[in-house]
Amino acid sequence: MQKPASKYLFYLLFLIGILSCKQEKETAPEAPKINLVSVYSLNPTQAEAKIELTGIRNNSPKEYGLVWSESPNPTINNNKKTAAANPEDGISTLVLSELQLETTYYVRAYIKLGNDYYYSNNITLSHRGPFIWRSLASINWSDKPNLVSSVAFRSGVIVVRPIDNINTEVWYYFAPGNNWQQQKDLVLQAARFEPLLFKLNKFGDEATYFGGGYQVKENIPGKYIYLKDFWQYDFFSGGTSEEYPDFPFGLANLTHFTLDTRTYVIENSANRSVWMLLNGMSWHKKNDFPGTISERYVGFAAGNKGYILEEDKSATGQTKKLYEYNPDADTWVRKADFPGEDRVNGMAFSVNNKGYYGLGQAKDSPQGFSDIWQYNPTTDSWIKFTDYPGIGHVGVTANTIGNKAYLGLGLRVKASAAGAEEYLPATDFWEVKPD
């Protein structure tokens, strides 16, 4: 049985927390480190940048900010800047002003220590409309595991967050008010990671369903206990409204997409079984998924078709294979390969009958991706769509309400001081309107 792709993230976070508590020998302070995380256009004359500073506590810098120009590697001497005094460790936001539309800018952050300037990486900003991103209210979470499940429901997004093997928090993002509301914790006895969480049209009304996933048990072979219970769940009252028969498929990672009254669940195992839940009431076996067993499947629906993208974590494989499912004929067809850089642990969503896939992390280096690609089913083609301005890379939630998508949370991937992968919780949340 394959190990789920994101399971190791929980342990890495736990391990990082333990290691960070160990007492270290005092050393001379190093120069502060500065990283330009993201830059995105706000409006015709402004853009916003996120800057990460580390090592500030051991130094006394008096100024930091942004420099940009139409040539690479801008410096403080001959380009515009935004400056601020008394910086602190962490991620902060600064605004670039007086930008010209239809112009490409190269942006760097800087920090001044004594008489010396330290510069960050370059980020290229293509400053042009439409201005599709909007920063929303972040969520006030502590530094705990950030592997969540989510589903769009009514006028917002439900987020389910397991804290441990017992406790599971429930939060609701209310889009009209741009605020987060904590709901009652899940009352199911077994908390779980990576459960199925979806909604469908049940006889004319929206209903949410929850189940599956796995628990972590260090004292058993394999460590992972897969669950098969399945519920229609009322997240706003904190209780179940109806328990359904267990999943009819095996114990494995599950991926799904929903087409109105039907949700299709694909089993990531040697069987590659496909089951359809009709009106939230009954399971029906469909033709097996024809792809290979993969580290992870990513699903989305566009129009009246479903799509599965295979993520391949092997050294010789590549994340690229896309399959289309026709529910009327119960058939699968191979479609155009994903053309972006090879990755795993990406996310997908759909808006206005087009699919979107991106983010994730590199297979062989501590690198996160921020690019998002658009798939057009009509032309069977991919194009680079945009870059995500948030700080998360893996486990990022993505849900659609009307003609907008809501992305955020998850984990940020970066290199530790030793060069290993490090995963940091992300609490920012964003709205994107593709068309």
Side-chain angles (χ1 to χ4, degrees):
M1 182 179 298
Q2 277 198 316
K3 182 178 178 181
S6 60
K7 289 180 179 176
Y8 62 90
L9 300 183
F10 176 81
Y11 293 107
L12 284 172
L13 284 172
F14 178 74
L15 185 59
I16 290 166
I18 293 177
L19 293 176
S20 65
C21 295
K22 292 184 178 180
Q23 188 172 7
E24 298 180 355
K25 295 181 180 180
E26 293 187 2
T27 58
E30 297 180 356
K33 296 179 181 179
I34 183 165
N35 176 44
L36 187 58
V37 178
S38 68
V39 183
Y40 76 103
S41 297
L42 279 172
N43 54 51
T45 61
Q46 292 181 315
E48 187 173 88
K50 293 187 179 298
I51 303 170
E52 181 184 34
L53 299 173
T54 55
I56 299 301
R57 295 183 182 91
N58 297 325
N59 297 278
S60 300
K62 299 299 182 183
E63 179 184 298
Y64 79 114
L66 296 167
V67 291
W68 63 94
S69 72
E70 296 179 40
S71 301
N73 301 318
T75 68
I76 202 72
N77 297 322
N78 53 12
N79 295 283
K80 299 176 181 178
K81 65 178 182 178
T82 300
N86 301 320
E88 297 180 352
D89 275 2
I91 295 178
S92 58
T93 301
L94 293 177
V95 174
L96 298 74
S97 301
E98 300 181 7
L99 302 181
Q100 299 295 320
L101 281 174
E102 304 301 323
T103 304
T104 297
Y105 293 97
Y106 297 87
V107 186
R108 290 202 295 180
Y110 77 90
I111 190 166
K112 183 180 181 182
L113 182 60
N115 294 322
D116 297 323
Y117 288 92
Y118 298 85
Y119 293 96
S120 74
N121 51 302
N122 277 280
I123 287 184
T124 304
L125 172 68
S126 297
H127 187 62
R128 54 183 53 86
F131 305 101
I132 59 175
W133 290 101
R134 184 166 74 99
S135 180
L136 303 174
S138 60
I139 196 166
N140 185 22
W141 277 347
S142 59
D143 191 23
K144 296 178 182 178
N146 214 24
L147 298 176
V148 303
S149 301
S150 65
V151 62
F153 187 69
R154 297 176 184 169
S155 298
V157 177
I158 295 171
V159 174
V160 177
R161 181 191 188 213
I163 301 302
D164 48 39
N165 279 337
I166 300 175
N167 302 295
T168 301
E169 294 179 350
V170 178
W171 292 77
Y172 184 67
Y173 173 76
F174 182 58
N178 187 27
N179 61 66
W180 288 93
Q181 305 162 2
Q182 187 167 8
Q183 309 297 313
K184 294 181 180 179
D185 286 0
L186 253 65
V187 298
L188 301 182
Q189 292 183 354
R192 75 278 314 273
F193 296 92
E194 298 188 87
L196 279 185
L197 174 59
F198 59 87
K199 71 174 181 182
L200 54 72
N201 184 344
K202 182 180 181 181
F203 303 114
D205 192 18
E206 285 187 337
T208 54
Y209 297 85
F210 179 85
Y214 60 87
Q215 287 187 302
V216 180
K217 299 289 185 180
E218 293 288 345
N219 59 345
I220 65 170
K223 297 184 181 179
Y224 307 109
I225 299 178
Y226 286 91
L227 306 172
K228 297 185 68 172
D229 57 329
F230 181 59
W231 307 77
Q232 181 181 333
Y233 204 90
D234 186 348
F235 288 94
F236 295 104
S237 68
T240 57
S241 58
E242 188 172 358
E243 182 180 4
Y244 285 74
D246 288 351
F247 288 137
F249 23 82
L251 300 174
N253 281 353
L254 305 174
T255 304
H256 78 280
F257 54 79
T258 297
L259 300 170
D260 193 26
T261 62
R262 298 162 294 178
T263 292
Y264 295 83
V265 178
I266 297 87
E267 181 182 350
N268 189 357
S269 70
N271 295 327
R272 300 187 298 281
S273 298
V274 179
W275 289 81
M276 184 263 287
L277 178 66
L278 179 62
N279 291 317
M281 299 298 292
S282 58
W283 290 102
H284 302 265
K285 181 70 174 67
K286 296 298 178 179
N287 285 329
D288 292 345
F289 176 62
T292 58
I293 183 171
S294 174
E295 180 68 19
R296 182 170 176 262
Y297 299 144
V298 182
F300 63 89
N304 61 351
K305 305 287 180 60
Y307 296 86
I308 293 293
L309 180 72
E310 291 184 2
E311 290 190 338
D312 191 333
K313 195 178 180 181
S314 67
T316 57
Q318 185 174 353
T319 295
K320 64 177 183 177
K321 295 179 182 179
L322 178 71
Y323 292 85
E324 178 187 82
Y325 178 73
N326 183 333
D328 296 328
D330 189 20
T331 56
W332 292 91
V333 178
R334 177 82 178 269
K335 306 302 286 187
D337 287 348
F338 171 67
E341 195 167 350
D342 194 16
R343 70 194 68 201
V344 290
N345 298 324
M347 60 87 229
F349 62 95
S350 60
V351 179
N352 294 334
N353 297 325
K354 294 179 180 177
Y356 298 85
Y357 172 77
L359 307 188
Q361 66 183 109
K363 296 179 182 178
D364 54 1
S365 64
Q367 175 190 357
F369 294 109
S370 297
D371 55 333
I372 298 176
W373 293 72
Q374 180 190 80
Y375 174 73
N376 187 336
T378 302
T379 59
D380 187 26
S381 60
W382 292 88
I383 61 169
K384 169 71 182 298
F385 171 63
T386 187
D387 287 315
Y388 176 52
I391 66 173
H393 300 122
V394 301
V396 173
T397 65
N399 296 277
T400 302
I401 303 175
N403 62 349
K404 300 175 182 178
Y406 294 83
L407 280 66
L409 312 180
L411 297 163
R412 180 175 169 224
V413 183
K414 61 175 295 187
S416 68
E421 290 176 333
E422 186 176 9
Y423 298 89
L424 304 176
T427 60
D428 54 337
F429 204 63
W430 298 81
E431 175 191 276
V432 60
K433 186 176 180 181
D435 296 321

